[in-house]
Amino acid sequence: MGNYRFILSGGGTGGHIYPAIAIANELKKRYPDAAFLFVGAKDRMEMEKVPLAGYKIEGLWISGLQRKLTFKNMLFPIKLISSLIKARSIVSRFQPDVVIGTGGFASGPLLKIASGRGIPCVLQEQNSYAGMTNKLLKNKVAKICVAYDGMQEFFPADKIIKTGNPVREDLMKGEDNRQEALRFFELNENQKTLLVLGGSLGARRVNQLIEKKLAFFSSHNIQLIWQCGKGYYQTYKKHHGSSVKVHAFLNQMEFAYAAADIIISRAGAGSVSELCIVGKPVLFIPSPNVAEDHQTKNANALVSKNAALMVREPDLETNFESIFTSLLQDENLQQLLGKNMKTLAMPKATEHIVDAIAVLLKEIK
């Protein structure tokens, strides 16, 4: 019997949305007759991205608590009550067999209602430091799929399954296509290529650094693929030329990774998981502007295993050039970091998450 019904909830950022879509796609492969519904936060990017992936989505009027006293915080109790009422209505109407939460504020009300009705729920936590919503739901769910060791600090040990984070399927394609990738970006195959990733929205401090260091990169005969983000493209597109390729987005990520010799990246959970599969030397510049400084913790998990390097934002002025130069000039270090990175990869994460869901389905049918 494959006519199961699944609700997937999560959003606010690509790091919560794309894993949910990957899980839905794998469930659809296994259960072609299944019905799917996504639940997100109104006015957030999931309301656009999920329909593009071919799934129906409903939005809750919910947002997170701000760190200081604001009008939005005063609205929070009203939004929460409104979201719980709508979540109750959605669960009653859709009658899901299993509910999957991938983090973000919208998943809180939905999983609270579903678990309260005895519907099996699964959490997927992408980061090495658990998000607030997932921590609040930990005792109400059946299973918690994680990507890092040591997560019993946040969750009951008997519920944890280490699966890794879902990544895009197209990543597996371009690994050995360096020459094709360089042709795609119109780059020189006799130069080292640096790939700069600031996340889908871009990273202000990383972009400022790259602009300031363009002459430094040029002096080392380095060419760049620079993904600066939609909000920054107008500022930095003037640098686009024969050896610096400036992009708002990189739609062909498999080519970007294949072309790269060295990568500079933020340390969001999705990026870290992808980079482990790619297995190239990475210098992380974690964003300090995230909850519980979780990007620094994500990066540290790799640095501690000698699989990556890291420079924190406050140290960029003093340390960046020396760390980058030592990496550039040490081929053995580049190979070691890439090799160690690959050992941490979990390319079958999506399948393992769906395996855990399949076990729950067997128990209820």
Side-chain angles (χ1 to χ4, degrees):
M1 179 178 166
N3 54 342
Y4 295 113
R5 302 177 70 77
F6 300 104
I7 293 181
L8 297 100
S9 184
T13 66
H16 295 311
I17 299 161
Y18 296 121
I21 292 170
I23 293 165
N25 289 343
E26 179 64 24
L27 283 166
K28 201 176 194 176
K29 257 190 232 171
R30 293 203 204 178
Y31 309 108
D33 299 326
F36 295 88
L37 177 66
F38 279 69
V39 176
K42 274 182 186 174
D43 306 324
R44 296 306 293 263
M45 66 189 282
E46 57 264 31
M47 302 308 289
E48 175 197 344
K49 299 291 183 192
V50 168
L52 284 175
Y55 295 101
K56 190 177 174 225
I57 186 166
E58 294 194 34
L60 304 180
W61 187 42
I62 189 76
S63 60
L65 281 164
Q66 309 298 308
R67 293 188 189 186
K68 42 186 189 264
L69 189 62
T70 63
F71 178 64
K72 279 187 174 175
N73 273 356
M74 291 163 73
L75 281 175
F76 182 77
I78 302 161
K79 287 184 176 183
L80 183 60
I81 292 163
S82 153
S83 294
L84 286 165
I85 291 166
K86 185 159 186 193
R88 188 175 292 129
S89 157
I90 289 169
V91 170
S92 296
R93 182 170 17 99
F94 192 79
Q95 296 285 311
D97 292 296
V98 173
V99 174
I100 301 117
T102 58
F105 311 114
S107 62
L110 193 92
L111 271 78
K112 181 171 170 48
I113 295 295
S115 60
R117 296 199 176 174
I119 297 163
C121 296
V122 175
L123 286 181
Q124 199 260 322
E125 173 56 62
Q126 297 95 30
N127 289 294
S128 60
Y129 192 97
M132 187 197 299
T133 305
N134 283 354
K135 282 193 281 190
L136 289 170
L137 292 166
K138 66 184 179 186
N139 294 320
K140 301 178 186 300
V141 300
K143 294 290 173 194
I144 304 167
C145 298
V146 303
Y148 291 90
D149 294 323
M151 296 303 286
Q152 58 271 24
E153 181 186 341
F154 310 104
F155 302 127
D158 60 334
K159 294 184 179 185
I160 293 173
I161 307 170
K162 189 181 175 190
T163 57
N165 287 325
V167 297
R168 288 171 281 202
E169 286 177 39
D170 59 10
L171 268 196
M172 313 299 178
K173 295 176 198 165
E175 211 170 290
D176 301 319
N177 292 341
R178 184 171 191 268
Q179 286 183 315
E180 189 185 345
L182 290 169
R183 278 198 301 274
F184 177 83
F185 286 108
E186 299 178 338
L187 290 168
N188 184 341
E189 63 179 83
N190 298 316
Q191 282 179 265
K192 286 270 191 190
T193 303
L194 170 65
L195 171 62
V196 180
L197 301 171
S200 54
L201 302 175
R204 184 176 63 89
R205 190 67 188 85
V206 172
N207 287 331
Q208 289 172 342
L209 171 81
I210 298 304
E211 182 178 52
K212 197 172 175 183
K213 300 297 179 189
L214 286 175
F216 164 76
F217 294 132
S218 178
S219 73
H220 286 281
N221 199 28
I222 292 169
Q223 55 194 355
L224 275 81
I225 302 168
W226 178 6
Q227 185 254 309
C228 65
K230 184 180 170 186
Y232 298 97
Y233 183 67
Q234 293 306 318
T235 306
Y236 296 107
K237 67 177 183 181
K238 64 189 177 195
H239 296 297
H240 191 89
S242 60
S243 61
V244 180
K245 307 298 179 182
V246 184
H247 295 264
F249 294 109
L250 289 168
N251 292 320
Q252 305 275 151
M253 276 308 297
E254 71 274 24
F255 278 158
Y257 286 132
D261 294 294
I262 294 173
I263 299 168
I264 289 175
S265 177
R266 285 301 206 196
S271 299
V272 170
S273 297
E274 288 189 359
L275 290 165
C276 286
I277 285 168
V278 171
K280 298 275 177 91
V282 179
L283 175 58
F284 286 115
I285 304 174
S287 170
N289 312 309
V290 291
E292 308 289 351
D293 196 20
H294 69 251
Q295 285 205 7
T296 301
K297 295 179 173 81
N298 290 349
N300 256 329
L302 277 76
V303 172
S304 66
K305 294 185 169 77
N306 207 12
L309 302 177
M310 171 171 65
V311 186
R312 290 188 173 90
E313 279 193 5
D315 304 325
L316 285 173
E317 291 303 320
T318 50
N319 295 351
F320 175 78
E321 284 195 14
S322 61
I323 290 173
F324 185 85
T325 305
S326 63
L327 173 61
L328 180 68
Q329 293 174 347
D330 190 340
E331 295 277 348
N332 289 334
L333 178 59
Q334 290 173 34
Q335 286 174 12
L336 178 70
L337 293 177
K339 191 179 87 179
N340 289 347
M341 190 73 116
K342 277 237 182 224
T343 64
L344 303 174
M346 302 184 78
K348 295 193 179 297
T350 314
E351 292 168 46
H352 293 155
I353 292 164
V354 172
D355 289 343
I357 295 166
V359 170
L360 295 176
L361 290 172
K362 281 185 187 137
E363 288 170 6
I364 57 173
K365 291 287 180 185

